[in-house]
Amino acid sequence: MLKYETQKFVVEELSNITMPEMKGNEGRFEYTINEVKINELNLTYADLAFQPGLGLLFEVQNSSIALSFQRRILYWFFYDTGAINASAEGVNIHTVLHMTKDDLGRLKISNITCDASIGKMKMKFTGTLGRVYDFLATFLTTGMRFLLNQQICPAMNHAGLVLINSLLETIPVRTEVDKYVGIDYSLLSDPVVTSRSLDMDFRGMFFELGNENNTLVNYAVNPIVREYDRMVYLGLSEYFFDSGLYSYYKAGIFQMNIANERMPKDLEMLLRTTYFGTIMMMNPALVEYPISLRLELNSAPKTTIKTSGATVAVTAIATVMVLPPGTAPVQLSSMTMVRSCLLIKYSVFIDRFKIFSNQSALESLAVRFCALSSCLSLSLLQF
């Protein structure tokens, strides 16, 4: 597909070649050649490949170009005008696009190495004196072949260094994901080209929109691709996920208040049963008031990637409160939860769950509180 699109682009660019007017004389003939048009470009063989250490190689071999132009010829006292059809055969183009990154981390074509040649060129004259002009064909084809050959590489250079680079400059490498965070996927280094691969190292860093300079330091190991049987491979390090979780944490996303209509009946019953004694000792009048549960991470989640899957470790504070109308909430307890989730094929498995509290009354809640841990999972999976 990429080769086809490249070939299509090259055909369009070469079809727009403009050639200067030719003037001269040969014996008793004076001639002017202008309005040169490329009518057809037949790429018999075209290939796109990697050029180790440089970039992409686009090669055209044994192809042909059909073109036409207008003639004005003066022979003695005879003046003749008309069209000339010509064909350039044995067209060979060898073009290498050298790829680097620019100052902003965008992909850029830094240079183009081009070599073009035309094997032979034929012309066919029409009009009253067509056969008389045949002897001019050798002279004119030599000049036309020289001029056409001079126009191919400049057209390829303009296509790559101007048109393609102009397109690449419009591609953002830093953009918003949502109203909380953005992502930076600029190149960290120039692409590395081997005989069978093009390796590009992107930053892959999320950042908080409210404080773009507060980013996580990258200590993760870069992913390594060892297979080559598919067209595209994408490797994501732990830093990709950690910077995202860190940015959302700094943006205050990992918070959840469960109260009133958001409070499930079974969860409300569990909380009332667990804290009934505590409420009665504090103030019996609080028994009938709504109960709320607040979940809030006290540190950014940490990702660990292994061959078995990705694990996300989370530490959160769970606060249970009574909500008397018209007054400040009354805190019943606060506990720290340490949670480890194993993510395999978009599924979540609880690998480890611990609760720490300085209230002995919560020890009986520790086992049953695993039912509440789904709230923390939902908060995390919303990311």
Side-chain angles (χ1 to χ4, degrees), residues 106-163:
R106 294 189 183 97
L107 186 64
K108 177 184 179 181
I109 299 176
S110 61
N111 189 24
I112 292 181
T113 302
C114 177
D115 182 31
S117 63
I118 298 175
K120 60 181 179 179
M121 195 163 187
K122 297 187 298 183
M123 291 187 181
K124 182 179 180 181
F125 289 86
T126 60
T128 305
L129 301 177
R131 292 188 177 183
V132 178
Y133 299 148
D134 283 344
F135 82 95
L136 286 176
T138 302
F139 176 77
L140 292 178
T141 52
T142 301
M144 286 295 297
R145 186 178 68 172
F146 175 77
L147 290 177
L148 181 59
N149 190 60
Q150 281 192 323
Q151 298 300 316
I152 293 177
C153 283
M156 299 294 288
N157 289 339
H158 178 266
L161 297 178
V162 178
L163 299 182

Side-chain angles (χ1 to χ4, degrees), residues 106-378:
R106 294 189 183 97
L107 186 64
K108 177 184 179 181
I109 299 176
S110 61
N111 189 24
I112 292 181
T113 302
C114 177
D115 182 31
S117 63
I118 298 175
K120 60 181 179 179
M121 195 163 187
K122 297 187 298 183
M123 291 187 181
K124 182 179 180 181
F125 289 86
T126 60
T128 305
L129 301 177
R131 292 188 177 183
V132 178
Y133 299 148
D134 283 344
F135 82 95
L136 286 176
T138 302
F139 176 77
L140 292 178
T141 52
T142 301
M144 286 295 297
R145 186 178 68 172
F146 175 77
L147 290 177
L148 181 59
N149 190 60
Q150 281 192 323
Q151 298 300 316
I152 293 177
C153 283
M156 299 294 288
N157 289 339
H158 178 266
L161 297 178
V162 178
L163 299 182
I164 297 180
N165 275 341
S166 297
L167 176 62
L168 292 175
E169 289 175 358
T170 65
I171 300 175
V173 292
R174 193 176 176 93
T175 186
E176 294 183 4
V177 176
D178 51 31
K179 62 181 180 180
Y180 304 105
V181 304
I183 185 172
D184 186 327
Y185 46 92
S186 58
L187 285 171
L188 293 174
S189 57
D190 294 339
V192 177
V193 185
T194 68
S195 60
R196 59 180 178 178
S197 68
L198 172 64
D199 187 5
M200 291 183 286
D201 189 10
F202 297 97
R203 189 176 302 276
M205 179 191 73
F206 291 88
F207 56 88
E208 181 192 358
L209 293 178
N211 188 1
E212 297 187 8
N213 295 323
N214 184 12
T215 57
L216 192 66
V217 179
N218 185 5
Y219 296 110
V221 178
N222 289 335
I224 299 176
V225 177
R226 293 188 173 89
E227 299 179 7
Y228 296 93
D229 58 333
R230 297 184 183 275
M231 180 178 176
V232 177
Y233 285 90
L234 175 65
L236 302 175
S237 70
E238 295 172 352
Y239 181 72
F240 176 81
F241 300 98
D242 285 346
S243 66
L245 294 170
Y246 177 82
S247 299
Y248 276 106
Y249 168 73
K250 286 297 185 180
I253 299 303
F254 294 129
Q255 300 177 11
M256 180 178 289
N257 287 307
I258 305 175
N260 301 319
E261 65 276 0
R262 296 188 61 189
M263 175 71 69
K265 296 298 182 183
D266 54 349
L267 177 57
E268 181 181 11
M269 181 62 67
L270 174 63
L271 293 175
R272 288 191 181 279
T273 303
T274 303
Y275 294 103
F276 180 80
T278 304
I279 296 175
M280 292 299 293
M281 288 188 294
M282 293 178 61
N283 185 351
L286 299 176
V287 171
E288 299 300 325
Y289 294 141
I291 290 181
S292 73
L293 173 65
R294 178 179 175 83
L295 294 173
E296 182 178 9
L297 302 191
N298 61 354
S299 63
K302 181 69 178 69
T303 307
T304 302
I305 299 178
K306 298 181 179 179
T307 55
S308 57
T311 302
V312 181
V314 181
T315 302
I317 301 295
T319 304
V320 181
M321 295 178 290
V322 177
L323 305 177
T327 61
V330 178
Q331 179 175 312
L332 298 179
S333 71
S334 180
M335 64 194 82
T336 301
M337 300 188 301
V338 178
R339 174 81 178 277
S340 182
C341 304
L342 180 62
L343 309 178
I344 303 178
K345 294 181 179 180
Y346 306 104
S347 298
V348 181
F349 299 90
I350 300 175
D351 182 57
R352 186 176 68 257
F353 184 82
K354 295 182 181 180
I355 296 179
F356 302 91
S357 175
N358 56 5
Q359 299 184 28
S360 59
L362 294 176
E363 293 178 1
S364 61
L365 180 63
V367 176
R368 289 181 292 169
F369 206 86
C370 288
L372 305 182
S373 65
S374 60
C375 298
L376 186 59
S377 295
L378 289 176

